[in-house]
Amino acid sequence: MTIGWNAIAIDPADGVAVALRDLAPGEDVIVRVGGKVETLTAREAVALGHKIARRAHAAGEPVMKYGARIALATKAFAAGDHVHVHNIKSARAYEGKA
């Protein structure tokens, strides 16, 4: 079965989506968000199960996933960037709370 998207976000407020397969730099990323679909371009490789930014984040800004704050940006990143330990830090580890 083929699906029409290669990334998914659960909540419209989520600033990141989860890659449903490996994504290549320059590839169109079709993100399913609820019953809607949006498109962005991968700016770098994103591995299956890793996060890709749906929008730009400033350093220190909360990162939302599954409708909850999961992390804080440790440096600015753009829509389409790989979001992982190199540019975010767990909200719990960073602030001592989620």
Side-chain angles (χ1 to χ4, degrees):
M1 177 174 101
T2 302
I3 57 175
W5 57 86
N6 48 16
I8 190 167
I10 301 301
D11 190 286
D14 291 352
V16 297
V18 176
L20 298 176
R21 62 172 176 74
D22 291 345
L23 303 171
E27 181 176 352
D28 285 339
V29 180
I30 315 298
V31 182
R32 179 175 172 255
V33 186
K36 298 181 181 179
V37 173
E38 64 188 34
T39 304
L40 57 100
T41 301
R43 292 171 37 100
E44 52 195 330
V46 179
L48 165 71
H50 283 226
K51 295 172 291 300
I52 186 168
R54 292 179 56 214
R55 63 173 184 78
H57 287 70
E61 185 177 349
V63 177
M64 303 291 289
K65 179 180 171 190
Y66 306 135
R69 183 180 58 168
I70 62 153
L72 294 172
T74 56
K75 62 182 180 180
F77 53 86
D81 281 350
H82 180 213
V83 178
H84 200 54
V85 297
H86 65 283
N87 56 10
I88 63 171
K89 193 163 193 175
S90 166
R92 289 188 177 146
Y94 195 70
E95 297 183 325
K97 60 184 173 185

